[in-house]
Amino acid sequence: MRESTYDRAKAVAYAETWAMGRNPAYYDFEAIGGDCTNFASQCIYAGSGVMNFTPVMGWYYIDAARRAPAWTGVEPLYRFLVTNGGAGPRAEVADRDRVLPGDIVQLGTADGHFYHSPVILGVQDGEIYVAAHTFDALWRPLSSYVFDRARFLHITGVGV
């Protein structure tokens, strides 16, 4: 499988365009559990351009009824990104000081339940700024969230 680069500028541009609204090409899951990981996946797709159509364990969106769990679920997205050896984006868990625009941070509880997937837009003077859905945010400081744990997913490339 060939490896391609992840276009961080496209991921961030998508996030900035749609953070405070909804792209009509995608279902809005806010009323049925939250839209944060759906939005994160849209941003990642904007930067990667490749889905993985492997049934159940892949990462894809056709419509609200035909999508992989990883497209909209916090834990499934994490598992897909860090184990993906096929088509689509790949990531590794990274230290906070290694994140770049277009990466993902997942917020969680002290017991390790992760529940939110904001998209990193930038880092300035040690502060990480994010975009997110459900509680819509654009250039929100990560430090303004209340959470016990943060898991940083640094996108390393894209299988094509």
Side-chain angles (χ1 to χ4, degrees):
M1 173 137 309
R2 290 183 313 121
E3 184 86 6
S4 179
T5 57
Y6 177 59
D7 191 330
R8 296 176 179 284
K10 283 185 179 177
V12 168
Y14 185 94
E16 290 178 321
T17 299
W18 293 106
M20 304 308 284
R22 300 296 183 269
N23 182 338
Y26 297 93
Y27 185 79
D28 180 1
F29 293 91
E30 188 164 335
I32 55 171
D35 199 56
C36 69
T37 305
N38 176 40
F39 175 67
S41 286
Q42 292 172 42
C43 295
I44 296 168
Y45 181 61
S48 68
V50 179
M51 292 184 189
N52 180 314
F53 289 95
T54 304
V56 182
M57 301 307 291
W59 176 78
Y60 62 89
Y61 178 95
I62 298 167
D63 58 35
R66 296 177 294 164
R67 68 186 192 283
W71 190 272
T72 53
V74 175
E75 282 298 325
L77 176 63
Y78 162 75
R79 283 193 303 275
F80 173 79
L81 289 173
V82 301
T83 64
N84 182 27
R90 300 173 179 156
E92 62 189 15
V93 176
D95 292 332
R96 170 189 181 99
D97 61 353
R98 287 196 48 231
V99 298
L100 296 170
D103 286 339
I104 305 298
V105 56
Q106 293 187 319
L107 307 181
T109 61
D111 65 356
H113 169 73
F114 288 89
Y115 55 83
H116 194 41
S117 299
V119 178
I120 296 171
L121 298 180
V123 181
Q124 184 175 9
D125 298 325
E127 180 66 74
I128 295 172
Y129 294 90
V130 300
H133 272 187
T134 300
F135 298 106
D136 294 0
L138 177 61
W139 286 95
R140 179 176 173 176
L142 183 60
S143 63
S144 71
Y145 285 89
V146 176
F147 58 93
D148 295 316
R149 291 181 166 187
R151 177 169 63 195
F152 297 95
L153 301 175
H154 173 67
I155 308 233
T156 58
V158 180
V160 292

